[in-house]
Amino acid sequence: GAGVSQSPSNKVTEKGKDVELRCDPISGHTALYWYRQRLGQGLEFLIYFQGNSAPDKSGLPSDRFSAERTGESVSTLTIQRTQQEDSAVYLCASSLAEAGGPETQYFGPGTRLLVL
Amino acid sequence: KNQVEQSPQSLIILEGKNCTLQCNYTVSPFSNLRWYKQDTGRGPVSLTIMTFSENTKSNGRYTATLDADTKQSSLHITASQLSDSASYICVVGDNYGQNFVFGPGTRLSVLP
C-alpha cells in the first residue's frame, strides 16, 4: 500500500513569506508527527497529533509555526513570515498508535524548505 | 536506492533480559548512523551517533556497533527496564550530510 506522502518535495521561498507543507499519512494511522531536520543535525520534534485529542505542540519553535489535522487525515504545517533559519527538511511520520504500546513510525520523504 | 532496514519489526522481552536490534543500510556514500529512542507520543531522543571510523559507542545500558564494510549496525540493550519500551529508529546520513534515510523502527516491549 501507499506510504506517507508529503508535498511539495522542495520549496524555495523568500524571507517573510508564508509557506504551507502537506502530509498525507498512511490510511488508518491515528498518530501523526511533524519533525524538522536542519542540515547535518538530528531530528527535532515539532508537533504530535493523536486522533481527535488536543495535539502536543511542545516542540514548535515559535508562534510562527502552526499545524492542523482534521480527524485522521491530512495534516498541514504552516510557517508564517519565514526566516532563513527555518531552512530545513520537514518530515512527517504516522503510526497506528495502538493503545498501551510503543509504535513503529513510517516516515514520509520530507519537504526540503529553503528560505532565501 | 538508499534504504535502511531494521529487524525485528517488534520484540517482546522480560525485564532484566538483554536484547539486540539490527539495522542494515544501503546508503552510499555513508556519513553517519544514529539510533533514536522514541516513546509513545513523544519526540525521538538520540541515543548514539557514529561516523565511518567508529565501530562501537555506548550510552549507559545502550551499546551501538557499526560495521561499515558490511553496512550493518546493531543496538544492544543490557539489563532491560520497563522504561526501555519504545520504538528504536535507525537513521543513516549520506556523505554530504544533506540526506538522511530512516529505518521503519523496531518496537520493543519490556514486560515485568
Side-chain angles (χ1 to χ4, degrees):
Chain A
V4 178
S5 61
Q6 293 185 243
S7 62
S9 54
N10 291 281
K11 177 71 176 178
V12 181
T13 189
E14 294 179 346
K15 178 181 174 181
K17 299 288 188 181
D18 297 351
V19 295
E20 189 173 280
L21 313 180
R22 176 187 171 107
C23 172
D24 282 89
I26 293 173
S27 178
H29 280 194
T30 57
L32 187 147
Y33 299 78
W34 280 99
Y35 299 96
R36 177 170 71 177
Q37 188 155 39
R38 292 190 170 116
L39 187 64
Q41 305 290 317
L43 283 173
E44 181 182 2
F45 169 72
L46 297 178
I47 189 170
Y48 164 66
F49 293 92
Q50 171 53 47
N52 294 317
S53 302
D56 176 1
K57 303 180 181 180
S58 59
L60 294 179
S62 77
D63 59 8
R64 296 186 295 105
F65 287 74
S66 63
E68 292 184 349
R69 187 185 187 197
T70 303
E72 298 178 359
S73 61
V74 171
S75 176
T76 55
L77 176 69
T78 302
I79 308 173
Q80 296 178 308
R81 305 181 302 282
T82 53
Q83 303 294 313
Q84 289 181 332
E85 63 262 28
D86 298 335
S87 296
V89 176
Y90 289 82
L91 291 151
C92 174
S94 72
S95 70
L96 279 171
E98 295 164 358
E103 53 207 52
T104 297
Q105 292 187 47
Y106 298 85
F107 283 86
T111 292
R112 191 179 303 279
L113 175 66
L114 178 61
V115 181
L116 302 177
Chain B
K1 180 180 179 182
N2 287 338
Q3 284 185 318
V4 176
E5 298 176 344
Q6 291 187 244
S7 62
Q9 182 178 25
S10 62
L11 180 64
I12 300 174
I13 62 174
L14 295 176
E15 186 179 12
K17 298 295 186 182
N18 304 334
C19 68
T20 300
L21 314 180
Q22 299 291 340
C23 173
N24 298 332
Y25 62 92
T26 60
V27 176
S28 181
F30 171 85
S31 173
N32 60 75
L33 186 147
R34 303 164 186 256
W35 282 95
Y36 287 92
K37 176 189 176 188
Q38 186 158 26
D39 295 310
T40 302
R42 306 294 297 275
V45 174
S46 181
L47 296 176
T48 62
I49 302 173
M50 289 184 291
T51 60
F52 182 87
S53 59
E54 298 173 292
N55 54 26
T56 187
K57 183 164 281 189
S58 292
N59 179 358
R61 294 179 296 103
Y62 301 99
T63 299
T65 65
L66 173 64
D67 186 333
D69 291 331
T70 61
K71 299 186 177 181
Q72 296 179 329
S73 176
S74 66
L75 181 70
H76 186 74
I77 304 174
T78 304
S80 61
Q81 301 177 359
L82 298 179
S83 59
D84 292 333
S85 294
S87 285
Y88 292 84
I89 304 170
C90 175
V91 183
V92 181
D94 72 13
N95 196 41
Y96 308 108
Q98 294 184 9
N99 294 302
F100 289 84
V101 184
F102 296 84
T106 291
R107 294 174 47 180
L108 175 65
S109 298
V110 180
L111 304 180

PDB file of all heavy atoms in Angstrom, chain B residues 67-99:
ATOM      1  N   ASP B  67      29.473  -1.764  11.483  1.00  0.00           N
ATOM      2  CA  ASP B  67      30.397  -2.408  10.549  1.00  0.00           C
ATOM      3  C   ASP B  67      30.164  -1.762   9.196  1.00  0.00           C
ATOM      4  O   ASP B  67      29.215  -2.114   8.485  1.00  0.00           O
ATOM      5  CB  ASP B  67      30.138  -3.917  10.495  1.00  0.00           C
ATOM      6  CG  ASP B  67      31.159  -4.645   9.641  1.00  0.00           C
ATOM      7  OD1 ASP B  67      31.727  -4.010   8.709  1.00  0.00           O
ATOM      8  OD2 ASP B  67      31.389  -5.840   9.877  1.00  0.00           O
ATOM      9  N   ALA B  68      31.018  -0.810   8.860  1.00  0.00           N
ATOM     10  CA  ALA B  68      30.827  -0.058   7.621  1.00  0.00           C
ATOM     11  C   ALA B  68      31.102  -0.916   6.384  1.00  0.00           C
ATOM     12  O   ALA B  68      30.632  -0.600   5.286  1.00  0.00           O
ATOM     13  CB  ALA B  68      31.732   1.169   7.612  1.00  0.00           C
ATOM     14  N   ASP B  69      31.863  -2.000   6.555  1.00  0.00           N
ATOM     15  CA  ASP B  69      32.147  -2.878   5.411  1.00  0.00           C
ATOM     16  C   ASP B  69      30.897  -3.657   5.002  1.00  0.00           C
ATOM     17  O   ASP B  69      30.584  -3.784   3.818  1.00  0.00           O
ATOM     18  CB  ASP B  69      33.284  -3.837   5.753  1.00  0.00           C
ATOM     19  CG  ASP B  69      34.607  -3.115   5.889  1.00  0.00           C
ATOM     20  OD1 ASP B  69      34.793  -2.069   5.229  1.00  0.00           O
ATOM     21  OD2 ASP B  69      35.462  -3.584   6.673  1.00  0.00           O
ATOM     22  N   THR B  70      30.216  -4.204   5.991  1.00  0.00           N
ATOM     23  CA  THR B  70      29.005  -4.970   5.692  1.00  0.00           C
ATOM     24  C   THR B  70      27.752  -4.102   5.744  1.00  0.00           C
ATOM     25  O   THR B  70      26.652  -4.580   5.468  1.00  0.00           O
ATOM     26  CB  THR B  70      28.832  -6.136   6.686  1.00  0.00           C
ATOM     27  OG1 THR B  70      28.704  -5.589   8.009  1.00  0.00           O
ATOM     28  CG2 THR B  70      30.028  -7.075   6.622  1.00  0.00           C
ATOM     29  N   LYS B  71      27.920  -2.830   6.137  1.00  0.00           N
ATOM     30  CA  LYS B  71      26.809  -1.890   6.215  1.00  0.00           C
ATOM     31  C   LYS B  71      25.737  -2.380   7.188  1.00  0.00           C
ATOM     32  O   LYS B  71      24.547  -2.452   6.854  1.00  0.00           O
ATOM     33  CB  LYS B  71      26.230  -1.596   4.835  1.00  0.00           C
ATOM     34  CG  LYS B  71      27.241  -0.959   3.891  1.00  0.00           C
ATOM     35  CD  LYS B  71      26.639  -0.538   2.581  1.00  0.00           C
ATOM     36  CE  LYS B  71      27.689   0.148   1.720  1.00  0.00           C
ATOM     37  NZ  LYS B  71      27.139   0.596   0.419  1.00  0.00           N
ATOM     38  N   GLN B  72      26.220  -2.728   8.366  1.00  0.00           N
ATOM     39  CA  GLN B  72      25.310  -3.202   9.395  1.00  0.00           C
ATOM     40  C   GLN B  72      25.597  -2.489  10.708  1.00  0.00           C
ATOM     41  O   GLN B  72      26.744  -2.158  11.021  1.00  0.00           O
ATOM     42  CB  GLN B  72      25.467  -4.716   9.604  1.00  0.00           C
ATOM     43  CG  GLN B  72      25.081  -5.541   8.398  1.00  0.00           C
ATOM     44  CD  GLN B  72      25.267  -7.030   8.636  1.00  0.00           C
ATOM     45  OE1 GLN B  72      26.149  -7.433   9.383  1.00  0.00           O
ATOM     46  NE2 GLN B  72      24.411  -7.832   8.017  1.00  0.00           N
ATOM     47  N   SER B  73      24.535  -2.284  11.470  1.00  0.00           N
ATOM     48  CA  SER B  73      24.669  -1.726  12.802  1.00  0.00           C
ATOM     49  C   SER B  73      23.753  -2.490  13.735  1.00  0.00           C
ATOM     50  O   SER B  73      22.732  -3.047  13.311  1.00  0.00           O
ATOM     51  CB  SER B  73      24.300  -0.244  12.808  1.00  0.00           C
ATOM     52  OG  SER B  73      24.338   0.283  14.124  1.00  0.00           O
ATOM     53  N   SER B  74      24.134  -2.527  14.993  1.00  0.00           N
ATOM     54  CA  SER B  74      23.274  -3.150  15.983  1.00  0.00           C
ATOM     55  C   SER B  74      23.177  -2.245  17.203  1.00  0.00           C
ATOM     56  O   SER B  74      24.090  -1.460  17.470  1.00  0.00           O
ATOM     57  CB  SER B  74      23.804  -4.524  16.376  1.00  0.00           C
ATOM     58  OG  SER B  74      25.038  -4.391  17.054  1.00  0.00           O
ATOM     59  N   LEU B  75      22.090  -2.373  17.906  1.00  0.00           N
ATOM     60  CA  LEU B  75      21.901  -1.666  19.177  1.00  0.00           C
ATOM     61  C   LEU B  75      21.624  -2.728  20.229  1.00  0.00           C
ATOM     62  O   LEU B  75      20.628  -3.450  20.133  1.00  0.00           O
ATOM     63  CB  LEU B  75      20.743  -0.675  19.104  1.00  0.00           C
ATOM     64  CG  LEU B  75      20.500   0.111  20.399  1.00  0.00           C
ATOM     65  CD1 LEU B  75      21.637   1.101  20.644  1.00  0.00           C
ATOM     66  CD2 LEU B  75      19.170   0.864  20.329  1.00  0.00           C
ATOM     67  N   HIS B  76      22.536  -2.820  21.197  1.00  0.00           N
ATOM     68  CA  HIS B  76      22.403  -3.813  22.253  1.00  0.00           C
ATOM     69  C   HIS B  76      21.930  -3.125  23.526  1.00  0.00           C
ATOM     70  O   HIS B  76      22.517  -2.120  23.932  1.00  0.00           O
ATOM     71  CB  HIS B  76      23.754  -4.508  22.488  1.00  0.00           C
ATOM     72  CG  HIS B  76      23.688  -5.636  23.451  1.00  0.00           C
ATOM     73  ND1 HIS B  76      23.129  -6.853  23.134  1.00  0.00           N
ATOM     74  CD2 HIS B  76      24.092  -5.718  24.753  1.00  0.00           C
ATOM     75  CE1 HIS B  76      23.210  -7.651  24.190  1.00  0.00           C
ATOM     76  NE2 HIS B  76      23.788  -6.996  25.171  1.00  0.00           N
ATOM     77  N   ILE B  77      20.886  -3.664  24.112  1.00  0.00           N
ATOM     78  CA  ILE B  77      20.356  -3.121  25.371  1.00  0.00           C
ATOM     79  C   ILE B  77      20.608  -4.149  26.459  1.00  0.00           C
ATOM     80  O   ILE B  77      20.198  -5.316  26.343  1.00  0.00           O
ATOM     81  CB  ILE B  77      18.851  -2.813  25.262  1.00  0.00           C
ATOM     82  CG1 ILE B  77      18.599  -1.857  24.086  1.00  0.00           C
ATOM     83  CG2 ILE B  77      18.336  -2.206  26.563  1.00  0.00           C
ATOM     84  CD1 ILE B  77      17.126  -1.600  23.813  1.00  0.00           C
ATOM     85  N   THR B  78      21.272  -3.712  27.494  1.00  0.00           N
ATOM     86  CA  THR B  78      21.650  -4.602  28.588  1.00  0.00           C
ATOM     87  C   THR B  78      20.716  -4.404  29.775  1.00  0.00           C
ATOM     88  O   THR B  78      20.316  -3.287  30.083  1.00  0.00           O
ATOM     89  CB  THR B  78      23.092  -4.302  29.026  1.00  0.00           C
ATOM     90  OG1 THR B  78      23.950  -4.425  27.900  1.00  0.00           O
ATOM     91  CG2 THR B  78      23.539  -5.247  30.121  1.00  0.00           C
ATOM     92  N   ALA B  79      20.376  -5.506  30.417  1.00  0.00           N
ATOM     93  CA  ALA B  79      19.561  -5.460  31.646  1.00  0.00           C
ATOM     94  C   ALA B  79      18.342  -4.563  31.443  1.00  0.00           C
ATOM     95  O   ALA B  79      18.188  -3.537  32.113  1.00  0.00           O
ATOM     96  CB  ALA B  79      20.415  -4.980  32.811  1.00  0.00           C
ATOM     97  N   SER B  80      17.484  -4.960  30.536  1.00  0.00           N
ATOM     98  CA  SER B  80      16.366  -4.114  30.116  1.00  0.00           C
ATOM     99  C   SER B  80      15.479  -3.711  31.303  1.00  0.00           C
ATOM    100  O   SER B  80      15.320  -4.451  32.285  1.00  0.00           O
ATOM    101  CB  SER B  80      15.526  -4.831  29.064  1.00  0.00           C
ATOM    102  OG  SER B  80      14.991  -6.033  29.593  1.00  0.00           O
ATOM    103  N   GLN B  81      14.896  -2.538  31.148  1.00  0.00           N
ATOM    104  CA  GLN B  81      13.970  -1.995  32.128  1.00  0.00           C
ATOM    105  C   GLN B  81      12.628  -1.710  31.451  1.00  0.00           C
ATOM    106  O   GLN B  81      12.557  -1.575  30.229  1.00  0.00           O
ATOM    107  CB  GLN B  81      14.543  -0.705  32.730  1.00  0.00           C
ATOM    108  CG  GLN B  81      15.874  -0.895  33.416  1.00  0.00           C
ATOM    109  CD  GLN B  81      16.471   0.386  33.939  1.00  0.00           C
ATOM    110  OE1 GLN B  81      15.903   1.466  33.774  1.00  0.00           O
ATOM    111  NE2 GLN B  81      17.632   0.280  34.579  1.00  0.00           N
ATOM    112  N   LEU B  82      11.595  -1.615  32.255  1.00  0.00           N
ATOM    113  CA  LEU B  82      10.269  -1.353  31.701  1.00  0.00           C
ATOM    114  C   LEU B  82      10.266  -0.066  30.880  1.00  0.00           C
ATOM    115  O   LEU B  82       9.567   0.033  29.858  1.00  0.00           O
ATOM    116  CB  LEU B  82       9.226  -1.266  32.819  1.00  0.00           C
ATOM    117  CG  LEU B  82       9.037  -2.528  33.662  1.00  0.00           C
ATOM    118  CD1 LEU B  82       7.992  -2.284  34.739  1.00  0.00           C
ATOM    119  CD2 LEU B  82       8.643  -3.705  32.800  1.00  0.00           C
ATOM    120  N   SER B  83      11.062   0.896  31.285  1.00  0.00           N
ATOM    121  CA  SER B  83      11.110   2.179  30.588  1.00  0.00           C
ATOM    122  C   SER B  83      11.811   2.093  29.234  1.00  0.00           C
ATOM    123  O   SER B  83      11.800   3.059  28.468  1.00  0.00           O
ATOM    124  CB  SER B  83      11.830   3.222  31.450  1.00  0.00           C
ATOM    125  OG  SER B  83      13.142   2.778  31.742  1.00  0.00           O
ATOM    126  N   ASP B  84      12.399   0.950  28.931  1.00  0.00           N
ATOM    127  CA  ASP B  84      13.011   0.770  27.613  1.00  0.00           C
ATOM    128  C   ASP B  84      11.966   0.491  26.536  1.00  0.00           C
ATOM    129  O   ASP B  84      12.279   0.493  25.345  1.00  0.00           O
ATOM    130  CB  ASP B  84      14.019  -0.390  27.625  1.00  0.00           C
ATOM    131  CG  ASP B  84      15.246  -0.097  28.469  1.00  0.00           C
ATOM    132  OD1 ASP B  84      15.597   1.099  28.620  1.00  0.00           O
ATOM    133  OD2 ASP B  84      15.846  -1.047  28.985  1.00  0.00           O
ATOM    134  N   SER B  85      10.739   0.236  26.955  1.00  0.00           N
ATOM    135  CA  SER B  85       9.667   0.001  25.974  1.00  0.00           C
ATOM    136  C   SER B  85       9.491   1.249  25.126  1.00  0.00           C
ATOM    137  O   SER B  85       9.139   2.307  25.632  1.00  0.00           O
ATOM    138  CB  SER B  85       8.356  -0.344  26.692  1.00  0.00           C
ATOM    139  OG  SER B  85       8.447  -1.569  27.372  1.00  0.00           O
ATOM    140  N   ALA B  86       9.743   1.091  23.836  1.00  0.00           N
ATOM    141  CA  ALA B  86       9.729   2.241  22.929  1.00  0.00           C
ATOM    142  C   ALA B  86       9.979   1.735  21.519  1.00  0.00           C
ATOM    143  O   ALA B  86      10.184   0.543  21.298  1.00  0.00           O
ATOM    144  CB  ALA B  86      10.810   3.255  23.316  1.00  0.00           C
ATOM    145  N   SER B  87       9.977   2.670  20.578  1.00  0.00           N
ATOM    146  CA  SER B  87      10.435   2.354  19.233  1.00  0.00           C
ATOM    147  C   SER B  87      11.879   2.808  19.095  1.00  0.00           C
ATOM    148  O   SER B  87      12.243   3.874  19.595  1.00  0.00           O
ATOM    149  CB  SER B  87       9.571   3.062  18.185  1.00  0.00           C
ATOM    150  OG  SER B  87       8.328   2.441  18.052  1.00  0.00           O
ATOM    151  N   TYR B  88      12.681   2.004  18.417  1.00  0.00           N
ATOM    152  CA  TYR B  88      14.092   2.330  18.209  1.00  0.00           C
ATOM    153  C   TYR B  88      14.305   2.491  16.710  1.00  0.00           C
ATOM    154  O   TYR B  88      14.067   1.562  15.936  1.00  0.00           O
ATOM    155  CB  TYR B  88      14.990   1.252  18.805  1.00  0.00           C
ATOM    156  CG  TYR B  88      14.899   1.250  20.309  1.00  0.00           C
ATOM    157  CD1 TYR B  88      13.874   0.567  20.963  1.00  0.00           C
ATOM    158  CD2 TYR B  88      15.809   1.977  21.077  1.00  0.00           C
ATOM    159  CE1 TYR B  88      13.762   0.605  22.340  1.00  0.00           C
ATOM    160  CE2 TYR B  88      15.701   2.024  22.451  1.00  0.00           C
ATOM    161  CZ  TYR B  88      14.680   1.337  23.074  1.00  0.00           C
ATOM    162  OH  TYR B  88      14.558   1.385  24.442  1.00  0.00           O
ATOM    163  N   ILE B  89      14.728   3.692  16.338  1.00  0.00           N
ATOM    164  CA  ILE B  89      14.816   4.051  14.926  1.00  0.00           C
ATOM    165  C   ILE B  89      16.277   4.237  14.527  1.00  0.00           C
ATOM    166  O   ILE B  89      17.034   4.924  15.207  1.00  0.00           O
ATOM    167  CB  ILE B  89      14.035   5.345  14.639  1.00  0.00           C
ATOM    168  CG1 ILE B  89      12.578   5.195  15.100  1.00  0.00           C
ATOM    169  CG2 ILE B  89      14.089   5.696  13.155  1.00  0.00           C
ATOM    170  CD1 ILE B  89      11.798   6.482  15.072  1.00  0.00           C
ATOM    171  N   CYS B  90      16.657   3.611  13.420  1.00  0.00           N
ATOM    172  CA  CYS B  90      17.998   3.734  12.870  1.00  0.00           C
ATOM    173  C   CYS B  90      17.944   4.745  11.712  1.00  0.00           C
ATOM    174  O   CYS B  90      17.072   4.638  10.839  1.00  0.00           O
ATOM    175  CB  CYS B  90      18.462   2.367  12.365  1.00  0.00           C
ATOM    176  SG  CYS B  90      20.051   2.340  11.517  1.00  0.00           S
ATOM    177  N   VAL B  91      18.828   5.710  11.719  1.00  0.00           N
ATOM    178  CA  VAL B  91      18.836   6.749  10.686  1.00  0.00           C
ATOM    179  C   VAL B  91      20.252   6.870  10.128  1.00  0.00           C
ATOM    180  O   VAL B  91      21.204   7.016  10.890  1.00  0.00           O
ATOM    181  CB  VAL B  91      18.392   8.114  11.259  1.00  0.00           C
ATOM    182  CG1 VAL B  91      18.335   9.162  10.152  1.00  0.00           C
ATOM    183  CG2 VAL B  91      17.049   7.993  11.947  1.00  0.00           C
ATOM    184  N   VAL B  92      20.375   6.814   8.814  1.00  0.00           N
ATOM    185  CA  VAL B  92      21.691   6.860   8.172  1.00  0.00           C
ATOM    186  C   VAL B  92      21.800   8.124   7.330  1.00  0.00           C
ATOM    187  O   VAL B  92      20.902   8.420   6.533  1.00  0.00           O
ATOM    188  CB  VAL B  92      21.934   5.619   7.298  1.00  0.00           C
ATOM    189  CG1 VAL B  92      23.317   5.682   6.658  1.00  0.00           C
ATOM    190  CG2 VAL B  92      21.798   4.355   8.140  1.00  0.00           C
ATOM    191  N   GLY B  93      22.886   8.855   7.492  1.00  0.00           N
ATOM    192  CA  GLY B  93      23.120  10.065   6.732  1.00  0.00           C
ATOM    193  C   GLY B  93      24.131   9.829   5.628  1.00  0.00           C
ATOM    194  O   GLY B  93      25.057   9.033   5.789  1.00  0.00           O
ATOM    195  N   ASP B  94      23.957  10.536   4.511  1.00  0.00           N
ATOM    196  CA  ASP B  94      24.895  10.355   3.410  1.00  0.00           C
ATOM    197  C   ASP B  94      26.109  11.256   3.588  1.00  0.00           C
ATOM    198  O   ASP B  94      26.192  12.040   4.544  1.00  0.00           O
ATOM    199  CB  ASP B  94      24.214  10.579   2.061  1.00  0.00           C
ATOM    200  CG  ASP B  94      23.898  12.042   1.798  1.00  0.00           C
ATOM    201  OD1 ASP B  94      24.400  12.928   2.502  1.00  0.00           O
ATOM    202  OD2 ASP B  94      23.142  12.291   0.848  1.00  0.00           O
ATOM    203  N   ASN B  95      27.037  11.144   2.689  1.00  0.00           N
ATOM    204  CA  ASN B  95      28.333  11.787   2.852  1.00  0.00           C
ATOM    205  C   ASN B  95      28.264  13.301   2.811  1.00  0.00           C
ATOM    206  O   ASN B  95      29.196  13.981   3.222  1.00  0.00           O
ATOM    207  CB  ASN B  95      29.299  11.281   1.778  1.00  0.00           C
ATOM    208  CG  ASN B  95      30.738  11.581   2.105  1.00  0.00           C
ATOM    209  OD1 ASN B  95      31.162  11.456   3.244  1.00  0.00           O
ATOM    210  ND2 ASN B  95      31.500  12.011   1.123  1.00  0.00           N
ATOM    211  N   TYR B  96      27.202  13.803   2.284  1.00  0.00           N
ATOM    212  CA  TYR B  96      27.092  15.244   2.167  1.00  0.00           C
ATOM    213  C   TYR B  96      26.320  15.854   3.332  1.00  0.00           C
ATOM    214  O   TYR B  96      26.186  17.056   3.413  1.00  0.00           O
ATOM    215  CB  TYR B  96      26.420  15.595   0.831  1.00  0.00           C
ATOM    216  CG  TYR B  96      27.094  14.922  -0.334  1.00  0.00           C
ATOM    217  CD1 TYR B  96      26.485  13.873  -1.005  1.00  0.00           C
ATOM    218  CD2 TYR B  96      28.371  15.310  -0.721  1.00  0.00           C
ATOM    219  CE1 TYR B  96      27.125  13.241  -2.063  1.00  0.00           C
ATOM    220  CE2 TYR B  96      29.010  14.682  -1.772  1.00  0.00           C
ATOM    221  CZ  TYR B  96      28.381  13.642  -2.437  1.00  0.00           C
ATOM    222  OH  TYR B  96      29.014  13.021  -3.471  1.00  0.00           O
ATOM    223  N   GLY B  97      25.810  14.998   4.212  1.00  0.00           N
ATOM    224  CA  GLY B  97      25.090  15.489   5.375  1.00  0.00           C
ATOM    225  C   GLY B  97      23.780  16.154   5.046  1.00  0.00           C
ATOM    226  O   GLY B  97      23.211  16.866   5.863  1.00  0.00           O
ATOM    227  N   GLN B  98      23.309  15.955   3.840  1.00  0.00           N
ATOM    228  CA  GLN B  98      22.070  16.620   3.448  1.00  0.00           C
ATOM    229  C   GLN B  98      20.887  15.676   3.417  1.00  0.00           C
ATOM    230  O   GLN B  98      19.751  16.119   3.420  1.00  0.00           O
ATOM    231  CB  GLN B  98      22.242  17.253   2.062  1.00  0.00           C
ATOM    232  CG  GLN B  98      23.250  18.379   2.035  1.00  0.00           C
ATOM    233  CD  GLN B  98      23.309  19.043   0.677  1.00  0.00           C
ATOM    234  OE1 GLN B  98      22.483  18.762  -0.189  1.00  0.00           O
ATOM    235  NE2 GLN B  98      24.269  19.908   0.478  1.00  0.00           N
ATOM    236  N   ASN B  99      21.152  14.409   3.333  1.00  0.00           N
ATOM    237  CA  ASN B  99      20.067  13.444   3.225  1.00  0.00           C
ATOM    238  C   ASN B  99      20.180  12.401   4.324  1.00  0.00           C
ATOM    239  O   ASN B  99      21.255  11.857   4.558  1.00  0.00           O
ATOM    240  CB  ASN B  99      20.103  12.735   1.870  1.00  0.00           C
ATOM    241  CG  ASN B  99      19.815  13.692   0.746  1.00  0.00           C
ATOM    242  OD1 ASN B  99      18.776  14.335   0.714  1.00  0.00           O
ATOM    243  ND2 ASN B  99      20.762  13.826  -0.163  1.00  0.00           N
TER     244      ASN B  99
END
